[in-house]
Amino acid sequence: MMEESGIETTPPSTPPPSTSLTVSNNPVSTVPPMCSPPGPVFSAPPAGPPITGFSMTTNYDITRGHAGRSPQTPLMPTFSASVTGVVPNTMTQAPAPVGGGSSITFPEEIEDPRMPARFDQSGAGGGGLWGFFKGVAGNSVVKSVLDKTKHSVESMITTLDPGMAPYIKSGGDLDILVTSNKEVKVAAIRDAFQEMFGLATVSGESGQSNIAPQPIGYAAGLKGAQERIDSLRRSGMMHEKQVTVSVENFIAELLPDKWFDIGCLILEDPALGIRLESFTQATPVPSEYVQQAQNLTPADYNLRWSGLMVTVGEVLERNIPHVSRTDWHIMFTGMSRRQMIYSAAKALAGMYKQQLQSKSI
């Protein structure tokens, strides 16, 4: 037998006669069986979170979430035991929801003062849904998308029903009165100004030219268009500052024995002191038809100074089948009178737009 530090032990070769240990000849404890782990005096720190005091329920609703976030796994335990010596968690802990849901919470979202106010569906505090639309409407990208969408919808509507175009594009600050109730003039001017300005209200009212039905020469054409404006102002059919557009067709011998029909357009804006003139393309007229109109006009005709009593259109209607006195231009050029007036009116609208921009600077 060997002796070390006052502890008597039995040599390994000899089986121990007893399971008791003696320290300084006093029994201390009984050696546990080899299959049981020794019990230390101080327990080591837990390797994981405490597992005491948690509860799991089987009636967990997987569809329940946390403020709209992804729902938690139903096997996630609820920890209630506190561990000392751990750095305190800065995340706000909220009580577990009723019904066995997980008590795991997320940090509160702090509003950034640099960001705009949050919009909610109810409209309280953040402007609501309409406030959201007002907010995004100022964005250039969103505005471009909305404009393209609006243009696409309008194009689809006008393609299915062309008659809807005047109603869709009517409105705005531009109000124009055409000194005629003929659709060939009113529609052409309306299309031109709505295309140039986007929105424009264009209507027609019949005005008297007070010259010969078939004016001859540029001076007579200008006179007839101006008289139509003046007659409406004198009769009180429009207010003094009404923007007006007047159209008058005349014939002129531009080359020796070669006659042409031309349309004169005048725009007047008394409020801004703007007056503009434009002319349609010249449509050739066979000289024999002009000669017939001259022969049908009496020599003592009181308006002979301004033109003829019979128009070239009336003569063409009498001599050529299926030709209308109001739109005979398409037979000689392939372009209708409405298209010609539209082209001249678009140029007139462009000049008027430039004048408005220069006035606003």
Side-chain angles (χ1 to χ4, degrees), residues 98-117:
V98 179
S102 173
S103 64
I104 295 178
T105 59
F106 294 85
E108 292 183 352
E109 297 182 22
I110 302 175
E111 295 290 343
D112 191 346
R114 296 172 299 175
M115 299 298 291

Side-chain angles (χ1 to χ4, degrees), residues 124-204:
L129 185 60
W130 294 113
F132 169 76
F133 287 129
K134 290 180 181 179
V136 301
N139 187 283
S140 59
V141 177
V142 176
K143 185 177 184 300
S144 176
V145 173
L146 293 176
D147 290 342
K148 291 180 180 179
T149 304
K150 178 177 178 291
H151 178 72
S152 300
V153 173
E154 290 179 355
S155 300
M156 179 187 66
I157 294 175
T158 54
T159 300
L160 297 176
D161 186 3
M164 288 297 295
Y167 301 98
I168 294 177
K169 296 184 178 181
S170 293
D173 299 330
L174 187 59
D175 183 13
I176 295 178
L177 180 66
V178 181
T179 62
S180 175
N181 55 9
K182 295 179 179 180
E183 186 64 16
V184 66
K185 296 181 180 180
V186 178
I189 295 172
R190 180 189 295 119
D191 293 345
F193 276 83
Q194 287 181 349
E195 181 175 347
M196 184 61 62
F197 287 90
L199 292 177
T201 301
V202 181
S203 57

Side-chain angles (χ1 to χ4, degrees), residues 27-358:
V28 178
S29 60
T30 303
V31 178
M34 297 300 291
C35 61
S36 300
V41 177
F42 299 98
S43 59
I51 59 175
T52 60
F54 71 90
S55 61
M56 291 188 297
T57 57
T58 58
N59 59 347
Y60 183 84
D61 186 1
I62 192 65
T63 62
R64 294 176 62 86
H66 296 273
R69 301 177 179 88
S70 302
Q72 305 299 315
T73 170
L75 299 180
M76 181 66 69
T78 300
F79 298 101
S80 60
S82 61
V83 181
T84 59
V86 181
V87 178
N89 191 359
T90 58
M91 296 189 298
T92 303
Q93 298 291 334
V98 179
S102 173
S103 64
I104 295 178
T105 59
F106 294 85
E108 292 183 352
E109 297 182 22
I110 302 175
E111 295 290 343
D112 191 346
R114 296 172 299 175
M115 299 298 291
R118 182 178 299 178
F119 299 94
D120 54 86
Q121 294 287 344
S122 62
L129 185 60
W130 294 113
F132 169 76
F133 287 129
K134 290 180 181 179
V136 301
N139 187 283
S140 59
V141 177
V142 176
K143 185 177 184 300
S144 176
V145 173
L146 293 176
D147 290 342
K148 291 180 180 179
T149 304
K150 178 177 178 291
H151 178 72
S152 300
V153 173
E154 290 179 355
S155 300
M156 179 187 66
I157 294 175
T158 54
T159 300
L160 297 176
D161 186 3
M164 288 297 295
Y167 301 98
I168 294 177
K169 296 184 178 181
S170 293
D173 299 330
L174 187 59
D175 183 13
I176 295 178
L177 180 66
V178 181
T179 62
S180 175
N181 55 9
K182 295 179 179 180
E183 186 64 16
V184 66
K185 296 181 180 180
V186 178
I189 295 172
R190 180 189 295 119
D191 293 345
F193 276 83
Q194 287 181 349
E195 181 175 347
M196 184 61 62
F197 287 90
L199 292 177
T201 301
V202 181
S203 57
E205 189 69 38
S206 180
Q208 301 299 321
S209 65
N210 298 321
I211 61 172
Q214 179 59 74
I216 297 178
Y218 280 88
L222 286 169
K223 177 67 173 178
Q226 185 63 51
E227 281 294 323
R228 292 181 185 275
I229 298 175
D230 296 341
S231 64
L232 289 177
R233 295 194 188 280
R234 287 192 300 264
S235 62
M237 299 297 295
M238 60 181 180
H239 58 82
E240 296 180 355
K241 297 183 179 181
Q242 174 69 54
V243 181
T244 56
V245 175
S246 185
V247 182
E248 186 70 31
N249 276 65
F250 61 94
I251 58 174
E253 190 178 18
L254 301 181
L255 299 172
D257 201 26
K258 289 184 180 293
W259 292 83
F260 295 85
D261 179 86
I262 305 169
C264 174
L265 283 73
I266 295 178
L267 182 145
E268 276 194 0
D269 187 347
L272 298 177
I274 298 175
R275 176 187 167 90
L276 300 170
E277 297 88 8
S278 180
F279 296 90
T280 67
Q281 71 177 52
T283 303
V285 181
S287 58
E288 60 267 22
Y289 298 118
V290 176
Q291 186 63 45
Q292 290 186 28
Q294 292 175 345
N295 295 335
L296 293 173
T297 300
D300 57 350
Y301 180 52
N302 59 342
L303 297 176
R304 191 68 172 80
W305 59 269
S306 59
L308 305 175
M309 187 176 65
V310 180
T311 64
V312 172
E314 293 176 351
V315 174
L316 293 172
E317 188 179 57
R318 295 175 185 176
N319 291 270
I320 304 175
H322 311 295
V323 172
S324 172
R325 68 178 65 184
T326 58
D327 193 6
W328 52 267
H329 304 73
I330 193 170
M331 182 189 66
F332 293 98
T333 62
M335 180 179 290
S336 65
R337 187 186 182 196
R338 174 173 173 171
Q339 291 175 310
M340 296 179 183
I341 296 176
Y342 166 79
S343 298
K346 188 174 180 180
L348 195 69
M351 293 187 291
Y352 182 53
K353 188 175 183 179
Q354 291 181 355
Q355 290 285 336
L356 292 178
Q357 292 174 351
S358 62

